Amino acid sequence: MTATAPAPAPSPGSPDTKTDERLLKASPLKKLMGRPELGSVVGAVAVFVFFAVAADSFLQATSLATVLYAASTLGIMAVPVALLMIGGEFDLSAGVMVTTSALISSMFSYQMTANVWVGVLVSLIVTLAIGVFNGVMLTRTDPPSFIITLGTFLMLTGMNLGFTKLISGTVSTKSIADMEGFTSAKDVFASTLTIGGVDFKITILWWLGLILVATWILLRTRVGNWIFAVGGGEQAARAVGVPVAATKIGLYMGVAFGAWVSGQHLLFSYDVVQSGEGVGNELIYIIAAVIGGCLITGGYGSAVGAAVGALIFGMVSKGIVFAEWNPDWFKFFLGVMLLLATLLNHWVRKRAEATK
């Protein structure tokens, strides 16, 4: 019995040589073109330059601090909403959930004559429970997230108004500014930091922290892989062992956590809360995520992109004021930015796919 000699290896220049494409190193340009936030960054630079020319006061340090504050109050919610959208789902209750969180903290502390921090903790538990409710309802029933969270939106809107009028007798809560723990809670959620003579709101730090955590989860953890997999195709993700239900519930809890942080900032900034606030903000969160490169269909996007989308929102909303234009045009400019950013993101993705 004769042994078969192994076939000689082809020379490096022969046509039979095939290199595994996974071993090919992508050029920096290809990597850049493949980033989901590229379109939003280009848009942010364009908006910044535009208002720097159109508004003389836009480049002042105090003005930029105001822009960052406006961006942070939106970005705290836009980042977890972006992760949820990457996972292929929506949360239309996100806006009113912020108000619900603030109302629970305020009314529990006031009615129970408890330390304000007790109300803050109760609010965190209840708000996270709302996120779990949304996630469980989605994973255990057939209706899409649009319908389920729309139902939650309506329920929370009614409960916010109903309970506030029942307990306080009006559509707003009682002031808790003189209660124990208020000052320390305000330091955490609504204080002002002075750097170089310029005042910066602490929400900017909360926002940056959420961006870092969300980016780390997406790019450096197994959970991040699960989020992209679930958004790309739920059945395929389940087939390879991804815990789809747990991933989606966790994403809704992430949105709920963002709502809790935003709600506490709302409460400790103004001492009282109006029960009707927050309606419609959920669409702005989604817009920021879409401007930042998240796909409506899921499976694509980044936390950094959503943060840049929030920054564009802050620059437009405050830039109009600094330019002394009629603020009634704000929604028009926001709509233009949404369309332009969507078209730019689409073009960038097409170019990225063409260079692969």
Side-chain angles (χ1 to χ4, degrees):
M1 182 175 178
T2 59
T4 303
S11 61
S14 67
D16 294 331
T17 303
K18 292 183 179 180
T19 304
D20 190 337
E21 63 179 5
R22 293 172 299 178
L23 300 180
L24 294 175
K25 291 185 178 181
S27 66
L29 179 60
K30 288 184 179 180
K31 290 182 178 180
L32 179 63
M33 292 294 290
R35 293 301 306 166
E37 63 271 9
L38 175 61
S40 61
V41 171
V42 173
V45 172
V47 171
F48 179 85
V49 172
F50 176 78
F51 282 111
V53 174
D56 295 336
S57 61
F58 185 78
L59 294 180
Q60 295 180 4
T62 54
S63 299
L64 294 178
T66 303
V67 168
L68 287 176
Y69 173 57
S72 67
T73 54
L74 171 63
I76 288 173
M77 287 300 295
V79 169
V81 166
L83 264 63
L84 180 63
M85 291 179 63
I86 295 172
E89 305 297 344
F90 295 95
D91 191 348
L92 298 182
S93 66
V96 293
M97 200 189 306
V98 172
T99 306
T100 300
S101 171
L103 290 171
I104 293 172
S105 293
S106 177
M107 290 191 290
F108 187 90
S109 300
Y110 187 85
Q111 294 299 318
M112 298 299 175
T113 319
N115 187 297
V116 166
W117 280 105
V118 177
V120 170
L121 179 60
V122 171
S123 174
L124 174 61
I125 295 172
V126 175
T127 308
L128 290 177
I130 296 172
V132 172
F133 172 81
N134 283 335
V136 170
M137 288 294 293
L138 175 69
T139 56
R140 298 292 179 86
T141 60
D142 292 331
S145 58
F146 177 87
I147 299 298
I148 290 175
T149 57
L150 178 60
T152 307
F153 162 80
L154 294 173
M155 288 189 293
L156 291 179
T157 302
M159 291 172 62
N160 288 350
L161 178 60
F163 275 112
T164 304
K165 293 187 71 174
L166 178 65
I167 295 175
S168 302
T170 64
V171 296
S172 65
T173 61
K174 305 293 185 182
S175 174
I176 60 171
D178 59 346
M179 297 189 65
E180 184 180 358
F182 181 88
T183 301
S184 59
K186 185 172 183 177
D187 290 340
V188 173
F189 296 106
S191 61
T192 300
L193 306 175
T194 302
I195 303 176
V198 181
D199 293 337
F200 295 91
K201 292 291 186 179
I202 199 171
T203 49
I204 299 174
L205 295 182
W206 277 100
W207 179 38
L208 294 176
L210 287 174
I211 295 170
L212 293 175
V213 172
T215 301
W216 174 74
I217 290 174
L218 282 178
L219 302 182
R220 293 290 184 267
T221 69
R222 181 182 301 177
V223 175
N225 293 332
W226 292 347
I227 294 173
F228 282 109
V230 169
E234 181 176 329
Q235 297 303 324
R238 185 176 283 109
V240 296
V242 174
V244 174
T247 300
K248 291 191 175 184
I249 292 173
L251 289 172
Y252 276 104
M253 291 180 68
V255 174
F257 179 79
W260 173 73
V261 174
S262 295
Q264 304 318 295
H265 172 69
L266 177 66
L267 171 61
F268 294 107
S269 293
Y270 303 104
D271 303 341
V272 297
V273 183
Q274 299 291 327
S275 59
E277 293 186 17
V279 177
N281 286 349
E282 62 282 343
L283 297 179
I284 298 179
Y285 305 149
I286 294 173
I287 288 172
V290 172
I291 290 177
C294 292
L295 293 182
I296 297 293
T297 53
Y300 188 81
S302 71
V304 173
V308 176
L311 180 61
I312 291 175
F313 174 92
M315 287 192 291
V316 173
S317 62
K318 299 305 177 184
I320 290 175
V321 176
F322 297 143
E324 299 181 353
W325 297 343
N326 188 338
D328 294 339
W329 289 92
F330 166 67
K331 291 294 178 65
F332 170 79
F333 282 102
L334 189 60
V336 170
M337 289 305 307
L338 173 62
L339 290 177
L340 292 178
T342 302
L343 293 174
L344 181 59
N345 289 334
H346 178 74
W347 178 80
V348 168
R349 289 192 67 224
K350 288 295 184 182
R351 290 296 300 271
E353 292 173 357
T355 56
K356 289 182 179 180

